[in-house]
Amino acid sequence: MLKENLENVEQKIQAACERSGRDRSEVTLIAVSKTKPAEMVQEAYDLGIRLFGENKVQEIMDKSEVLPADIHWHMIGHLQRNKIKYIIDKVDLIHSVDSLRLAEAIEKEAAKKHVIAKVLIEVNVGREESKFGFLPEELDDFVEKASDFSHIQFMGLMTSAPFVDNPEENRPIFEELRKLSVDIARKNAHNMSMSILSMGMTNDYEVAIEEGATMVRVGTAIFGARNYAQTNVR
């Protein structure tokens, strides 16, 4: 089942790249394994997946203890400041920097561990009250203040588009995030490369790729529907 799911997702990524005149190598698949047991992550690993996305710090800590060391973990959920210290040197990328206070806390913890934290700025392009992230008009002020950080490398932007029946409805969301990324890149801040656009999930990743996504976060299409009652991640 997992093998067929991955093959199907891969075919759709390839097709979306071809439609938009892009090379398949420009798009990175993050397998979203949140709430899924370590055994299922291992199965995906055995099929060649190395990049996994998690929503909770505890799941990253628990799973990283029992799974292969060459897995690249991505923190894609809301990150609480008091949890940063547990994952600052365990994750490849934090997708969800949604406030100046969080960025300041990451800078502090990264300095303590003598690492450069790679992060994305989360933007609430859809302006949903239920979601975290900067509003587009708040970005300029944040970029100005965050450009002094020496232990953070801002790699790009992330958004979680609204859940819609027709993925085409989210095309303007993805288009706007891409434009915002270009605007920030023009500022030439030393710690902001804007090389990553993390956008698109199971419901709309094909449209996101057509609009320039360099990372897509796909869970349900790979692992099946999530069991949110699942508490034992081992």
Side-chain angles (χ1 to χ4, degrees):
M1 182 70 171
L2 200 59
K3 185 173 186 287
E4 289 80 4
N5 288 351
L6 273 170
E7 288 172 351
N8 186 46
V9 169
E10 179 55 44
Q11 287 169 5
K12 289 182 175 180
I13 291 175
Q14 181 66 47
C17 286
E18 289 173 3
R19 284 195 300 273
S20 50
R22 302 179 65 193
D23 192 89
R24 171 63 186 88
S25 63
E26 295 175 35
V27 180
T28 299
L29 171 63
I30 308 295
V32 178
S33 49
K34 63 180 185 180
T35 78
K36 296 301 181 181
E39 291 80 7
M40 194 173 277
V41 179
Q42 181 69 54
E43 188 181 349
Y45 176 93
D46 292 340
L47 291 166
I49 299 295
R50 293 293 180 272
L51 280 66
F52 293 90
E54 290 287 344
N55 259 34
K56 295 184 182 300
V57 167
Q58 190 62 50
E59 283 204 60
I60 291 174
M61 293 172 65
D62 288 348
K63 289 175 181 175
S64 64
E65 283 181 10
V66 297
L67 287 162
D70 62 337
I71 283 178
H72 299 277
W73 297 101
H74 287 238
M75 178 65 190
I76 62 174
H78 178 62
L79 179 58
Q80 295 171 297
R81 296 193 303 280
N82 63 346
K83 300 282 182 67
I84 296 168
K85 59 189 174 185
Y86 299 115
I87 61 160
I88 191 70
D89 55 354
K90 286 188 173 64
V91 299
D92 269 38
L93 187 64
I94 297 170
H95 289 233
S96 47
V97 172
D98 56 14
S99 70
L100 180 61
R101 289 180 73 195
L102 178 60
E104 288 169 341
I106 291 172
E107 168 72 15
K108 185 178 177 182
E109 291 297 334
K112 282 183 190 174
K113 292 279 181 74
H114 305 290
V115 298
I116 304 294
K118 292 183 178 180
V119 310
L120 303 179
I121 304 167
E122 182 173 1
V123 189
N124 187 356
V125 182
R127 299 176 182 273
E128 294 179 271
E129 289 186 10
S130 62
K131 292 196 176 150
F132 295 98
F134 294 94
L135 295 176
E137 61 269 21
E138 296 171 337
L139 283 175
D140 280 352
D141 183 57
F142 173 73
V143 168
E144 185 178 340
K145 290 173 178 172
S147 61
D148 291 334
F149 294 150
S150 57
H151 292 85
I152 296 180
Q153 182 66 37
F154 294 90
M155 304 300 294
L157 305 181
M158 181 272 257
T159 197
S160 295
F163 185 84
V164 291
D165 291 328
N166 179 7
E168 283 295 329
E169 292 178 33
N170 282 337
R171 192 178 292 277
I173 301 276
F174 301 139
E175 185 180 15
E176 182 172 354
L177 193 75
R178 179 166 45 85
K179 288 177 179 176
L180 290 167
S181 174
V182 171
D183 290 343
I184 294 173
R186 285 192 182 125
K187 297 179 187 297
N188 290 318
H190 77 95
N191 59 351
M192 301 200 182
S193 69
M194 293 296 115
S195 58
I196 295 175
L197 276 180
S198 173
M199 58 188 192
M201 296 185 283
T202 287
N203 194 47
D204 52 20
Y205 66 90
E206 294 167 86
V207 173
I209 290 169
E210 291 171 2
E211 290 300 326
T214 65
M215 279 187 179
V216 291
R217 311 182 303 276
V218 181
T220 303
I222 295 173
F223 295 106
R226 293 186 193 94
N227 173 14
Y228 285 100
Q230 175 80 32
T231 55
N232 181 7
V233 299
R234 294 177 189 274

